[in-house]
Amino acid sequence: MQTLEDEAVTIAIKRVLVAVDLSDHSAATAAYAAGLARNFGASLTVVHVYEPVPVCEYANETTFTLLEEERGKLKKLLEELTLKVRTPGLVCEPAFLVGNPVQQIIRFACDIQADLIVTASHHRTFLGRLLNLDKAPQIMHRAPCPVLVYHEKKARAFQFETGASL
């Protein structure tokens, strides 16, 4: 009978993808992913997916200008977040994608051959699950690689209760 010790398990993580929604929680999620990437000597790609709002046929030039301004602001926020978590020795790049967040994250993870996806879970309530607001479970079920779901509040509570540093 073989034991786990007989099986040599090598975990090689070379590419980490962190999916962020650019909310307040994103900085902590990206920082956590950056720490993982540094520990494994991996590169980090910080990904945000812009999901365009459907525009009705009566939209005017002002509507399109406002949408483009919003897109530009989000792209700038992504670049700033990427700069914030980049440290010497860590290859860290932003990726701004457009479309359905789950589909784009999965496609991009396949394209870059990601070894790990890090994301956050925000809508853990029944209503959030009912309305499909939380993308983390959808990403987990469709991902081509392992997915780590980061919970900032739980991590802080653990530190406070145990005195351990994560």
Side-chain angles (χ1 to χ4, degrees), residues 99-110:
N100 175 286
V102 175
Q103 291 173 357
Q104 292 301 315
I105 290 165
I106 299 306
R107 183 195 57 77
F108 192 73
C110 289

Side-chain angles (χ1 to χ4, degrees), residues 19-32 48 74 77 80-81 84-85 120-123 150-153 156:
V20 296
D21 63 2
L22 298 175
S23 67
D24 293 340
H25 195 63
S26 294
T29 305
Y32 189 85
H48 175 72
L74 291 171
L77 283 173
E80 290 171 357
L81 177 60
K84 190 175 182 180
V85 298
S121 181
H122 300 302
H123 304 281
Y150 177 73
H151 300 282
E152 182 183 16
K153 289 180 182 176
R156 284 186 182 167

